[in-house]
């Protein structure tokens, strides 16, 4: 929670507080797992995590070419706010390097995760919704309960009704 509560609100878009907290906790747990996997792999190889990252991640994230920087600049005019290519060349290069490093890290971590059993037991937020004593179908102790809110005078609800019945 300490890590999760340090995240800026803007990281979660329009998520409700409970959902934002879950997303932040999940990201923090994923980061802790990733660090543990990297540390364990480095220990197995007898090297430091920094050397492992250099060998398995940085080496597989090639530096962007000048053509790629120019292509990004031309494809994203709204993001550079009228700046010239010379003004934003280095920030674009840094962004592309960061994206490639993230992709290489994700790929490498996926290979490490495939070698071990990882179980994250953080449940997503759940909301209790009352059925208001209305009619129900199926057993009362079913593991999943669907509650339909519908207006039978609405043409869209009427069209959806057969599908909801099928579900």
């Amino acid at each position: 929670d300490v890590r999760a509560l340090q995240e800026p609100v803007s990281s979660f878009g329009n998520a409700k507080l409970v959902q934002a907290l879950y997303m932040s906790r999940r990201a923090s747990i994923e980061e802790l797992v990733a660090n543990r996997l990297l540390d364990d792999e480095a220990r197995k190889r007898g090297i430091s995590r920094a050397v492992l990252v250099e060998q398995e991640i940085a080496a597989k994230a090639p530096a962007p070419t000048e053509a790629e920087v120019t292509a990004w600049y031309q494809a994203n005019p709204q993001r550079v706010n009228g700046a010239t290519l010379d003004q934003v060349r280095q920030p674009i290069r840094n962004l592309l390097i960061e994206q490639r490093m993230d992709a290489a890290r994700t790929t490498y971590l996926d290979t490490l995760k495939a070698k071990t059993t990882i179980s994250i037991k953080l449940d997503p937020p759940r909301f209790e919704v009352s059925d208001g004593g209305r009619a129900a179908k199926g057993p009362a102790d079913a593991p999943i309960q669907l509650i339909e809110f519908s207006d039978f005078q609405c043409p869209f609800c009427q069209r959806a009704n057969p599908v909801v019945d099928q579900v």
Side-chain angles (χ1 to χ4, degrees):
D1 279 355
V2 171
R3 268 189 179 179
L5 292 171
Q6 299 305 312
E7 286 291 318
V9 174
S10 60
S11 298
F12 306 105
N14 294 329
K16 300 287 185 202
L17 180 59
V18 69
Q19 185 67 21
L21 186 56
Y22 167 76
M23 291 164 57
S24 184
R25 285 175 175 164
R26 181 70 190 210
S28 294
I29 290 170
E30 293 284 347
E31 187 62 26
L32 290 169
V33 168
N35 289 338
R36 184 69 163 288
L37 288 170
L38 290 171
D39 289 341
D40 289 351
E41 184 64 21
R43 194 174 312 108
K44 284 180 195 172
R45 294 184 186 192
I47 57 177
S48 69
R49 185 196 313 180
V51 171
L52 178 69
V53 167
E54 181 59 38
Q55 290 175 354
E56 297 294 337
I57 298 171
K60 296 179 180 169
T65 65
E66 187 59 36
E68 291 169 327
V69 171
T70 302
W72 189 96
Y73 175 80
Q74 292 171 344
N76 296 280
Q78 72 285 1
R79 292 187 62 188
V80 296
N81 295 324
T84 66
L85 177 58
D86 287 335
Q87 292 172 316
V88 293
R89 179 176 277 113
Q90 193 55 47
I92 292 172
R93 184 178 307 284
N94 292 344
L95 173 70
L96 293 174
I97 289 170
E98 184 179 329
Q99 288 175 342
R100 290 173 183 196
M101 288 287 285
D102 286 346
R105 185 175 193 265
T106 298
T107 300
Y108 184 62
L109 286 170
D110 287 346
T111 64
L112 293 178
K113 287 177 184 177
K115 295 178 186 178
T116 188
T117 301
I118 298 172
S119 178
I120 297 176
K121 300 194 184 244
L122 177 67
D123 289 328
R126 299 185 193 288
F127 301 96
E128 288 293 322
V129 179
S130 171
D131 65 8
R134 302 295 192 271
K137 294 181 184 178
D141 62 345
I144 296 174
Q145 189 177 70
L146 298 177
I147 298 177
E148 177 186 7
F149 296 90
S150 187
D151 177 355
F152 293 110
Q153 292 181 351
C154 167
F156 300 106
C157 293
Q158 286 176 351
R159 287 200 320 237
N161 192 50
V163 175
V164 173
D165 285 342
Q166 208 174 20
V167 170

